[in-house]
Amino acid sequence: MKITAVIMAGGRGERFWPKSRNSRPKQFLSLTADGETMIQKTVNRLLPIVEYEDIFIVTNAAYIGLVKEQLPGIPEENILAEPCARNTAPCIAFAAAVIGRKYDDAVMLVLPSDHLIGFEDMYISTLKKAVDVSLEGKNLVTIGITPNYPETGYGYINFGEECGSAYKVKRFVEKPDLPTAKEYLASGKYLWNSGMFVWKISSVMANLKEFMPGIYEGAIRIGEAFGSSGFEEVLVREFSAFTSESIDFGIMEKASDIYTIPGNFGWDDVGSWLAVERINEVDDSKNYIEGNVISIGSERATICGGKRLIAAVGVEDIIIVDTDDAVLICSKNNTQDVKKVIAQLKESGRNELV
Amino acid sequence: MKITAVIMAGGRGERFWPKSRNSRPKQFLSLTADGETMIQKTVNRLLPIVEYEDIFIVTNAAYIGLVKEQLPGIPEENILAEPCARNTAPCIAFAAAVIGRKYDDAVMLVLPSDHLIGFEDMYISTLKKAVDVSLEGKNLVTIGITPNYPETGYGYINFGEECGSAYKVKRFVEKPDLPTAKEYLASGKYLWNSGMFVWKISSVMANLKEFMPGIYEGAIRIGEAFGSSGFEEVLVREFSAFTSESIDFGIMEKASDIYTIPGNFGWDDVGSWLAVERINEVDDSKNYIEGNVISIGSERATICGGKRLIAAVGVEDIIIVDTDDAVLICSKNNTQDVKKVIAQLKESGRNELV
């Protein structure tokens, strides 16, 4: 059976402001010294098991140009434009319907566009195991990440008995508080929910039909119209009517036949500016510095220079990011508050900076 | 006897980079919310005792345009252009010779151009006392500042017996280490050396003749040529030949008849970016913020925004200064290291940023 991949690339990536903007979110940025963007890395690392013509990018209509520019190898008909943001369940249903039109049935890898993988061979080997498990019955497979510390920013997957190379999923749990996260870690029965899924088109459609019948029926109509002159009209009508729902809440927390494969391939969700020093090399003072920067006695600083000179003198545990029209100076303890800057900009009508 | 003032405005003000540049040093900047520049404030606060036509500005030839622009009330012939930097003794000798040509004898207030005074009435009253003391004999008067903490960045004046409203100076001492500064403060016999002097032209010339005869003779020749067509040539030749020397070392540490008047008029030398929060109002979180800035949870930060947006998130005890081509982010503990940035810029030939 064909192996296809659906890369979800509709996110806004507000936590990487001011580099990420509405007009160019995180997945279209390079945050590593090699200059490759996140979505380019996502596609390139899949090529050992998925061909270009079987890779589908689902993104906001506004980003079609960026996708074409950054991924010229992806066929144009594989770039699926969401008319509006509706979370992951409608996104996946849309892609599944389109792929279902192309192939009778197929395996579908569902992957975020903005994560990093340290060990790509292990990643491919994990995906292959997931493909094998997905081929049996109506199985839905999720890649769980072996946790190495009690992160409170991710959902967790509680798994039960071993079934071949996978584990039966007992339940998905929301982001825990720190004591709970510590219990999860100590129990050895929890994985991080990475948002990567593997299943057959037929399996996910059957589950959509059961648990999200409205989205299922809309997706079928979108799939039937795909390639016809009326497609755009059908897509806008049906997709806009979808409820905004995550695939986790809509299906994964309700379906049976859910399996997880533990992944241990150097996954990083690159969730905030703090990631930059993790995913790049730092100097002897633990600084990561790029671009037009003079640093005098700074320590543990992440500094991304732009056109103008950034002079950082004696600063510690700080993130500095320069762009043409805005510069961020953020304590490492407050990287989540970057969203508050965006909220203030919106409130004051300064949308050109958002 | 006429009261004249000589304002020394040749400094580079490197500690206020990136706002201060070689092309516009600190005395020509406004560092207060009222928008007045330091030199404008210096001149305006003198007007109760000195007339415009008796105020002389000694500055580097490169800054003549700035002086004319910022101080249109000062007669053009009172703007004295140093052909090169030679510290305070040659500067004062040059001005004394020129004023000596204009008036037979006169009182001369010698004042820095880049300090702030909180209580201007008290300042004027202190200067008046100094004028009175200067009129007796060959007296040289220096304004000492009553210290309120053991500052190690200033020189001190050790005074002895009281003579009217002044005290006889025992000696000038260099910047002390902290234990010594604490002893000075506890003794009640030391004042800060503010670099403000009051004397008659005849007194300072007599002392120059005695202790710095080379500079004295050169200054006489400069004074004789003043107003003639050959002045520029004489000035360049004589001034360039002067040794670079401070008036403190050249005269004050050697002469007798030195008196000091304690000043207690809210003096601030505005010595580094740390001064900005002292001389301006701060908000409830002890921030001083001006210009194009969004601050989220910052504390004790001094932020001077420019054209681009500065977003400061959760930063503390920091100084951020934006300009068109450079932005400084500096820990409050390291403000003296701003000079190291300038040194690096010079080393790497980036003189357009200096």
Side-chain angles (χ1 to χ4, degrees):
Chain A
M1 197 178 281
K2 267 280 184 190
I3 301 177
T4 67
V6 172
I7 294 168
M8 296 180 293
R12 296 283 177 175
E14 291 195 336
R15 286 173 292 188
F16 282 87
W17 185 90
K19 264 208 179 180
S20 69
R21 300 288 174 102
N22 266 350
S23 57
R24 186 181 292 262
K26 176 187 159 199
Q27 59 272 27
F28 301 109
L29 298 177
S30 171
L31 295 165
T32 47
D34 58 19
E36 268 194 331
T37 67
M38 305 293 283
I39 197 166
Q40 285 173 330
K41 286 182 177 294
T42 301
V43 165
N44 289 341
R45 77 169 74 96
L46 276 178
L47 296 178
I49 50 167
V50 192
E51 289 174 77
Y52 265 123
E53 62 177 42
D54 294 323
I55 297 176
F56 295 78
I57 313 289
V58 195
T59 190
N60 187 281
Y63 306 140
I64 298 299
L66 282 169
V67 174
K68 285 184 187 170
E69 180 193 316
Q70 297 194 356
L71 299 167
I74 302 286
E76 207 164 318
E77 65 270 23
N78 288 16
I79 306 173
L80 308 181
E82 295 177 312
C84 50
R86 285 290 182 268
N87 210 330
T88 50
C91 163
I92 289 165
F94 173 17
V98 168
I99 296 169
R101 268 293 293 255
K102 185 168 182 183
Y103 298 117
D104 187 34
D105 198 358
V107 173
M108 178 184 181
L109 314 176
V110 179
L111 304 164
S113 57
D114 59 352
H115 293 175
L116 282 183
I117 304 294
F119 306 102
E120 302 200 343
D121 290 348
M122 295 187 201
Y123 171 74
I124 292 299
S125 143
T126 305
L127 287 182
K128 280 180 179 166
K129 282 186 208 163
V131 168
D132 290 343
V133 176
S134 75
L135 289 170
E136 296 159 22
K138 282 205 301 173
N139 285 355
L140 303 176
V141 186
T142 177
I143 310 292
I145 304 296
T146 314
N148 45 28
Y149 68 97
E151 170 69 48
T152 58
Y154 305 145
Y156 282 70
I157 302 164
N158 179 209
F159 61 88
E161 81 257 32
E162 198 170 351
C163 310
S165 55
Y167 294 84
K168 187 89 169 114
V169 170
K170 289 169 91 168
R171 60 182 185 122
F172 286 80
V173 292
E174 300 287 311
K175 296 172 185 178
D177 59 17
L178 188 60
T180 311
K182 284 181 175 170
E183 280 173 35
Y184 290 172
L185 186 66
S187 74
K189 290 290 178 192
Y190 286 81
L191 300 170
W192 288 335
N193 184 357
S194 69
M196 296 186 235
F197 308 104
V198 182
W199 44 53
K200 285 181 297 187
I201 299 290
S202 55
S203 302
V204 72
M205 289 305 269
N207 278 285
L208 281 166
K209 192 174 184 180
E210 185 172 352
F211 300 109
M212 309 186 91
I215 287 175
Y216 169 78
E217 282 157 28
I220 291 289
R221 285 190 286 271
I222 290 170
E224 281 166 354
F226 187 71
S228 77
S229 62
F231 171 67
E232 191 64 26
E233 197 194 319
V234 174
L235 175 66
V236 170
R237 188 181 60 234
E238 299 293 339
F239 201 92
S240 308
F242 288 158
T243 49
S244 190
E245 194 69 87
S246 73
I247 196 77
D248 300 78
F249 188 78
I251 293 186
M252 304 308 278
E253 296 183 12
K254 291 161 182 156
S256 43
D257 304 317
I258 313 252
Y259 294 88
T260 187
I261 314 262
N264 205 342
F265 39 69
W267 173 80
D268 196 310
D269 77 331
V270 193
S272 78
W273 278 115
L274 288 174
V276 171
E277 62 177 20
R278 287 200 304 267
I279 64 183
N280 287 287
E281 261 186 70
V282 295
D283 67 19
D284 291 346
S285 301
K286 308 285 184 200
N287 298 307
Y288 172 74
I289 296 178
E290 61 168 43
N292 192 358
V293 176
I294 289 181
S295 164
I296 307 281
S298 299
E299 290 184 11
R300 300 176 302 283
T302 291
I303 311 180
C304 302
K307 286 184 193 151
R308 303 173 330 140
L309 175 69
I310 295 280
V313 181
V315 293
E316 297 179 355
D317 299 301
I318 205 164
I319 288 156
I320 302 171
V321 182
D322 189 35
T323 66
D324 285 359
D325 55 1
V327 59
L328 170 72
I329 299 116
C330 182
S331 158
K332 282 192 184 171
N333 294 323
N334 300 66
T335 54
Q336 298 304 319
D337 289 347
V338 171
K339 289 184 171 187
K340 294 185 184 170
V341 175
I342 297 174
Q344 273 208 21
L345 287 170
K346 284 179 180 168
E347 257 172 51
S348 52
R350 302 177 71 180
N351 293 307
E352 75 284 2
L353 289 169
V354 172
Chain B
M1 198 177 282
K2 267 280 182 189
I3 300 178
T4 68
V6 171
I7 295 169
M8 296 180 291
R12 296 285 176 172
E14 292 195 336
R15 285 172 293 186
F16 282 86
W17 185 92
K19 264 207 179 178
S20 70
R21 300 289 175 102
N22 264 349
S23 57
R24 185 182 292 263
K26 176 189 162 201
Q27 59 272 27
F28 300 109
L29 298 177
S30 170
L31 295 165
T32 47
D34 59 19
E36 267 193 331
T37 67
M38 306 293 283
I39 197 166
Q40 285 173 331
K41 286 182 176 295
T42 301
V43 165
N44 289 340
R45 76 169 73 96
L46 275 179
L47 296 177
I49 48 166
V50 192
E51 289 175 76
Y52 266 122
E53 62 176 42
D54 293 322
I55 297 177
F56 294 79
I57 314 288
V58 194
T59 190
N60 187 282
Y63 306 140
I64 297 298
L66 283 168
V67 173
K68 287 184 187 172
E69 181 193 315
Q70 298 195 355
L71 300 168
I74 301 286
E76 207 165 317
E77 66 271 22
N78 288 16
I79 306 173
L80 309 182
E82 295 177 313
C84 50
R86 285 289 182 270
N87 210 331
T88 49
C91 164
I92 288 165
F94 174 16
V98 168
I99 297 169
R101 267 293 290 256
K102 185 167 180 183
Y103 299 117
D104 187 33
D105 198 359
V107 173
M108 177 184 183
L109 314 176
V110 178
L111 304 164
S113 57
D114 58 352
H115 294 175
L116 282 183
I117 304 295
F119 306 102
E120 301 199 346
D121 290 347
M122 296 187 201
Y123 170 73
I124 292 298
S125 142
T126 305
L127 287 182
K128 280 180 178 163
K129 282 185 208 165
V131 167
D132 290 343
V133 176
S134 75
L135 289 170
E136 297 159 21
K138 280 205 305 173
N139 284 356
L140 304 177
V141 185
T142 176
I143 310 292
I145 304 295
T146 315
N148 44 29
Y149 67 97
E151 169 67 49
T152 58
Y154 305 145
Y156 283 70
I157 301 164
N158 180 207
F159 62 88
E161 82 257 31
E162 199 172 350
C163 311
S165 54
Y167 294 84
K168 185 91 170 116
V169 170
K170 290 170 89 167
R171 60 183 184 123
F172 286 81
V173 293
E174 300 288 311
K175 297 172 183 176
D177 59 18
L178 187 60
T180 310
K182 286 181 174 169
E183 279 174 35
Y184 290 171
L185 186 65
S187 74
K189 290 291 179 194
Y190 286 81
L191 300 170
W192 289 334
N193 183 357
S194 68
M196 297 186 236
F197 308 103
V198 182
W199 44 53
K200 286 181 295 188
I201 298 288
S202 56
S203 302
V204 71
M205 290 305 268
N207 277 286
L208 280 166
K209 190 174 182 180
E210 182 170 358
F211 299 110
M212 309 185 90
I215 288 175
Y216 170 77
E217 282 158 28
I220 292 289
R221 284 190 287 269
I222 291 169
E224 282 167 355
F226 187 71
S228 76
S229 62
F231 171 66
E232 191 64 26
E233 197 194 317
V234 173
L235 176 66
V236 169
R237 187 181 60 232
E238 298 293 339
F239 202 92
S240 308
F242 287 159
T243 48
S244 190
E245 194 70 85
S246 73
I247 196 76
D248 300 77
F249 188 79
I251 291 185
M252 305 307 277
E253 295 183 13
K254 290 164 182 155
S256 43
D257 303 315
I258 313 254
Y259 294 88
T260 186
I261 314 263
N264 205 344
F265 38 69
W267 172 81
D268 197 311
D269 76 331
V270 194
S272 78
W273 279 113
L274 289 174
V276 172
E277 63 177 19
R278 286 199 308 265
I279 63 182
N280 286 285
E281 261 186 70
V282 295
D283 66 20
D284 290 347
S285 301
K286 309 285 184 200
N287 299 307
Y288 172 74
I289 295 178
E290 61 167 43
N292 193 358
V293 175
I294 289 181
S295 164
I296 307 280
S298 300
E299 290 183 12
R300 300 177 302 284
T302 291
I303 310 181
C304 302
K307 287 186 191 148
R308 305 174 329 142
L309 174 68
I310 295 281
V313 181
V315 293
E316 296 178 355
D317 299 300
I318 204 166
I319 288 155
I320 301 171
V321 182
D322 189 33
T323 66
D324 285 0
D325 55 1
V327 58
L328 170 72
I329 299 115
C330 181
S331 160
K332 282 192 184 170
N333 294 323
N334 298 67
T335 54
Q336 298 304 319
D337 289 347
V338 171
K339 289 185 172 187
K340 294 185 185 169
V341 174
I342 297 174
Q344 272 206 23
L345 286 170
K346 284 180 181 167
E347 255 172 51
S348 52
R350 301 177 73 182
N351 293 308
E352 74 284 2
L353 289 168
V354 173

